[in-house]
Amino acid sequence: MFLKFVVSTIALLPLLWSSASAQSTACNNSPSLCSKNYNNITHLGAHDSAFVKDATTDFSQSGNQYFNTTIQLDAGVRLVTAQVHKSNNSAGQTEWHLCHTSCSLLDAGTLSNWLSGIKSWLDANPNDVVTILLVNSDNALASDLGPEFTTAGIDKYAYTPPSSSSVPTTWPTLQSLISNNTRLMTFVASITPSTSYPYLMDEFTFIYESPFTNTSPSNFSCIPERPSSVANQPTAALNSGRMFLMNHFLDVEEIFGILTPNTTYINTTNSQTGLGSLGGEMSTCTALYGKEPNFVLVDYFNVGPAIASVDAANGVTDATGRKSVSAAILEQPSGSGAGRHGGSVMGVVVAVVVAVWFGGS
Ligand SMILES: *[C@@H]1O[C@H](CO)[C@@H](O)[C@H](O)[C@H]1NC(C)=O
Ligand SMILES: *[C@@H]1O[C@H](CO)[C@@H](O)[C@H](O)[C@H]1NC(C)=O
Ligand SMILES: *[C@@H]1O[C@H](CO)[C@@H](O)[C@H](O)[C@H]1NC(C)=O
Ligand SMILES: *[C@@H]1O[C@H](CO)[C@@H](O)[C@H](O)[C@H]1NC(C)=O
Ligand SMILES: *[C@@H]1O[C@H](CO)[C@@H](O)[C@H](O)[C@H]1NC(C)=O
Ligand SMILES: *[C@@H]1O[C@H](CO)[C@@H](O)[C@H](O)[C@H]1NC(C)=O
Ligand SMILES: *[C@@H]1O[C@H](CO)[C@@H](O)[C@H](O)[C@H]1NC(C)=O
């Protein structure tokens, strides 16, 4: 009896300790977010997170971010997206790479290597929940992508939903995801669910998105575009229980309709106010749906800074644990640099002619 009492008290100790420490610990940079459901928070997303415009890519025009994924996460980004393409290595074996439109244009290496970097970040940041969204450009199967997660060792953090085919009534709180150490949410656009890799969630089963092709600040819209089952039907999209991803990046239409990020207007696109601003669009969408977007996806996340609008949506004024990053627009002066990795518009044209445009963002 006495022994049993001692044993159960000792068994309780870690629980008491962890719940006491949880109260003072920030979740995703704020103690106020710990008790919130995953779907009752706005997550800042870095569009094409893996495609960086910096010295490592000779300032490729195909880059959508000035800083790499690790720096994005350090600065408070909690959703990272990338396109997955099939690529042959020199031995003729299939590899899954992160490529922008085409692997001849901008190849950011293997999916497993990128995932390893995120896994290291999760190891070092045990109170953070991160979401990955992969655009499945070459229709990879779960049995193609799952092994990349295994190789990276990141599958141990992956959250598995109760059902792969229906939306849950609500999602877990950040604290419960953290306590269970299932701090990685993985969506793929699109994928057939597999019982072998049940954490690979089909994006459009769980999420709807606003249009991603916008070339004027007045083009941004909150109206659903995908999935087709709720396209142009905001009420149906909301009532479906899916989470809302607001695309908020502005492109310039180059010759042959090729789209590249508009960097001359990015300071307004990512700011809290102004025509076509992130903060302004979030307010418009919040008015339409009666709640804040779950995810907002931006280019050059550091500019604005975009996180100011996200903190405002989350009511966060006490953010801790972020590393600061310059909010500057880090464009190369024209004529210098850009090119060696096929970053020119002609490079884009050639790549699109040889690759079938898959229509993913
Ligand atoms: C979401 O958060 C808001 C603000 O904290 C709160 O009022 C609301 O009840 C929450 N909704 C759900 C479904 O948890
Ligand atoms: C990200 O960029 C920083 C700064 O340039 C660098 O130290 C770090 O190694 C990079 N991380 C990855 C995964 O490339
Ligand atoms: C990879 O190699 C195979 C066989 O040589 C070829 O059929 C396929 O088109 C190649 N795929 C790519 C993406 O280069
Ligand atoms: C946490 O893990 C337990 C045990 O596996 C499970 O029953 C519970 O549903 C999990 N909670 C969440 C939020 O995933
Ligand atoms: C985008 O905005 C421009 C300028 O206002 C307008 O001419 C164009 O029709 C808009 N495109 C769409 C798809 O709404
Ligand atoms: C970017 O968008 C702004 C606002 O519409 C526009 O004035 C500017 O010309 C665009 N930049 C480029 C390079 O087209
Ligand atoms: C963006 O930069 C332009 C040019 O430097 C400037 O005129 C404008 O006021 C800036 N907008 C914001 C929101 O900072």
Side-chain angles (χ1 to χ4, degrees):
M1 198 54 183
F2 175 71
L3 186 65
K4 193 178 174 197
F5 173 77
V6 170
V7 167
S8 54
T9 304
I10 290 169
L12 268 175
L13 278 177
L15 281 176
L16 293 171
W17 181 83
S18 68
S19 66
S21 69
Q23 278 159 22
S24 56
T25 306
C27 302
N28 287 21
N29 300 128
S30 173
S32 67
L33 299 182
C34 295
S35 62
K36 293 234 188 162
N37 297 92
Y38 172 76
N39 59 326
N40 199 17
I41 286 169
T42 303
H43 305 259
L44 175 61
H47 174 231
D48 283 345
S49 167
F51 307 134
V52 178
K53 183 186 280 192
D54 70 1
T56 65
T57 61
D58 278 349
F59 298 89
S60 168
Q61 278 186 34
S62 295
N64 298 76
Q65 302 294 335
Y66 296 125
F67 296 100
N68 66 32
T69 301
T70 309
I71 295 176
Q72 292 162 23
L73 294 170
D74 281 343
V77 165
R78 289 293 174 272
L79 163 68
V80 288
T81 77
Q83 297 171 16
V84 180
H85 291 253
K86 195 182 229 177
S87 175
N88 287 334
N89 66 16
S90 52
Q93 293 151 332
T94 294
E95 290 185 354
W96 294 97
H97 281 232
L98 302 180
C99 302
H100 195 301
T101 311
S102 156
C103 292
S104 59
L105 187 58
L106 179 57
D107 185 342
T110 60
L111 171 59
S112 62
N113 188 51
W114 184 63
L115 293 173
S116 295
I118 298 170
K119 191 258 180 189
S120 300
W121 193 89
L122 285 167
D123 291 343
N125 294 273
N127 275 284
D128 288 271
V129 176
V130 169
T131 302
I132 293 176
L133 170 56
L134 299 175
V135 175
N136 194 1
S137 300
D138 286 335
N139 297 321
L141 303 173
S143 56
D144 295 318
L145 300 182
E148 299 282 313
F149 284 71
T150 312
T151 300
I154 201 173
D155 53 332
K156 73 168 184 176
Y157 291 126
Y159 172 79
T160 294
S163 163
S164 64
S165 58
S166 62
V167 182
T169 46
T170 190
W171 292 75
T173 61
L174 291 193
Q175 185 59 62
S176 54
L177 292 170
I178 289 165
S179 300
N180 269 18
N181 214 16
T182 50
R183 301 183 285 114
L184 178 71
M185 314 299 268
T186 311
F187 297 98
V188 184
S190 298
I191 195 145
T192 303
S194 149
T195 51
S196 301
Y197 304 98
Y199 55 86
L200 296 175
M201 296 182 267
D202 175 57
E203 184 199 4
F204 296 117
T205 298
F206 299 102
I207 294 171
Y208 65 95
E209 291 192 16
S210 56
F212 61 86
T213 301
N214 298 292
T215 54
S216 161
S218 61
N219 288 157
F220 289 117
S221 165
C222 305
I223 305 296
E225 183 179 61
R226 298 181 294 172
S228 57
S229 58
V230 297
N232 300 312
Q233 303 169 70
T235 306
L238 180 67
N239 291 344
S240 74
R242 288 176 175 88
M243 296 181 281
F244 173 46
L245 185 151
M246 189 184 106
N247 282 303
H248 196 76
F249 40 94
L250 186 66
D251 286 324
V252 176
E253 191 168 343
E254 312 273 7
I255 50 167
F256 301 118
I258 304 301
L259 300 173
T260 60
N262 180 328
T263 53
T264 56
Y265 198 70
I266 185 70
N267 62 340
T268 301
T269 301
N270 283 5
S271 78
Q272 288 185 271
T273 57
L275 176 66
S277 66
L278 177 62
E281 277 305 297
M282 287 172 72
S283 297
T284 304
C285 295
T286 299
L288 176 63
Y289 293 113
K291 59 182 188 186
E292 298 283 353
N294 300 98
F295 309 98
V296 294
L297 200 54
V298 302
D299 283 335
Y300 312 111
F301 84 91
N302 61 300
V303 182
I307 199 141
S309 297
V310 171
D311 280 341
N314 287 330
V316 166
T317 52
D318 56 356
T320 60
R322 285 185 194 148
K323 290 188 187 156
S324 70
V325 67
S326 163
I329 301 170
L330 300 171
E331 289 296 304
Q332 282 285 84
S334 57
S336 68
R340 210 174 63 212
H341 289 253
S344 67
V345 170
M346 261 337 274
V348 179
V349 172
V350 170
V352 169
V353 170
V354 297
V356 177
W357 173 248
F358 192 75
S361 58

